[in-house]
Amino acid sequence: MYESIVSALPAANLAGGPAIALQLGVFTVAVFVVAVAYDLWTAVVPGLAAIGVAAVGSYLMLQFGDASRTAEAPPRYYRLLYGSSIEVVLAVLAFIALLTHLFVYEPQFVGQPSPLATLLPAAVTTADEPLMQALFGREPPIVAVYLTLLVLWDLCYRIGTSWWAAVVSLYREIRLARSAESASTFRRLDVLNVGFAGTQVLLVPFLLDRPVLFLAVTGHVLAVAVVSGAALTLSLRNAAAAGG
């Protein structure tokens, strides 16, 4: 999806670095314009962090796509990874869950003791006001909210992509046969996917008073690490069994 969006830009033929630079530049300028227009400087640092995570994620996604397409694997692997669009479904589910949390859960339960607190590090506290209000005040500017939701969708799409890549990798190791050379490539891709998910850790410092979001982000990173790590372990075990 990311590649199709970039290639569809009118009068542009961008790929790789230029596309990511354009993405980073447009969003960064938009954040500063909104900050100047509405005096929302407290939202600039978390906004830039989210944009940085999205940009790094774009780079790693392109690296993953380029490397995976050069490896030999059964057609079913590529149909699952690129032809099912399940990563979009996962992204939509994640985004809807995030909106529900921001606009329904937090306004109702913010400031109340969270049962999650017992499961999280002591540094994770509970905020006294909803996140959108903390960033933009009691009457958030429409443009600021629009830009924020756009960036958040960008992050949710990358979460969905990483989830699905991890699941397909594990399925690949359990059910599909590959050559020794392609198996080595796929092991590198598993490591890359863990790094892809790990970029979300850069958002954690801004979530230390949001137990649900803190748990969601760290849980996502750990889940991808576990599933991709299982695929990597199976690949190494299969290679050792085959003497390769």
Side-chain angles (χ1 to χ4, degrees):
M1 174 177 283
Y2 176 78
E3 293 168 340
S4 65
I5 291 173
V6 171
S7 62
L9 291 173
N13 184 20
L14 300 175
I20 296 170
L22 176 64
Q23 170 192 345
L24 184 63
V26 169
F27 278 112
T28 299
V29 170
V31 164
F32 279 105
V33 168
V34 169
V36 171
Y38 298 102
D39 194 25
L40 295 173
W41 294 102
T42 57
V44 168
V45 174
L48 293 179
I51 292 169
V53 169
V56 173
S58 295
Y59 172 78
L60 294 178
M61 258 200 309
L62 292 175
Q63 294 296 309
F64 187 99
D66 291 342
S68 66
R69 290 187 179 98
T70 62
E72 294 183 4
R76 179 164 179 76
Y77 170 77
Y78 292 103
R79 285 198 301 269
L80 286 172
L81 189 61
Y82 293 109
S84 64
S85 296
I86 291 180
E87 78 280 3
V88 181
V89 176
L90 294 174
V92 170
L93 293 175
F95 188 60
I96 292 173
L98 177 60
L99 294 181
T100 303
H101 176 80
L102 291 177
F103 297 110
V104 179
Y105 179 86
E106 278 204 340
Q108 291 183 24
F109 299 104
V110 70
Q112 299 183 19
S114 173
L116 296 175
T118 59
L119 305 175
L120 299 174
V124 182
T125 58
T126 302
D128 295 326
E129 58 182 349
L131 180 59
M132 298 302 286
Q133 182 175 319
L135 291 175
F136 305 125
R138 293 187 176 275
E139 297 182 359
I142 293 175
V143 175
V145 174
Y146 180 91
L147 178 61
T148 299
L149 295 181
L150 182 59
V151 173
L152 290 176
W153 161 252
D154 217 13
L155 295 178
C156 286
Y157 174 66
R158 281 151 180 75
I159 288 174
T161 300
S162 190
W163 283 349
W164 186 235
V167 171
V168 174
S169 292
L170 185 58
Y171 175 84
R172 179 197 68 224
E173 295 304 324
I174 296 174
R175 297 295 300 273
L176 304 178
R178 294 104 39 244
S179 66
E181 182 179 350
S182 63
S184 177
T185 298
F186 286 127
R187 285 195 289 270
R188 291 194 296 271
L189 290 177
D190 291 335
V191 174
L192 181 62
N193 192 33
V194 174
F196 180 30
T199 60
Q200 304 281 334
V201 172
L202 296 175
L203 300 175
V204 167
F206 305 101
L207 304 176
L208 294 179
D209 57 352
R210 312 284 165 178
V212 175
L213 295 179
F214 178 92
L215 187 62
V217 171
T218 55
H220 156 65
V221 175
L222 290 175
V224 171
V226 168
V227 177
S228 294
L232 179 60
T233 300
L234 284 174
S235 179
L236 290 171
R237 189 182 69 178
N238 293 336

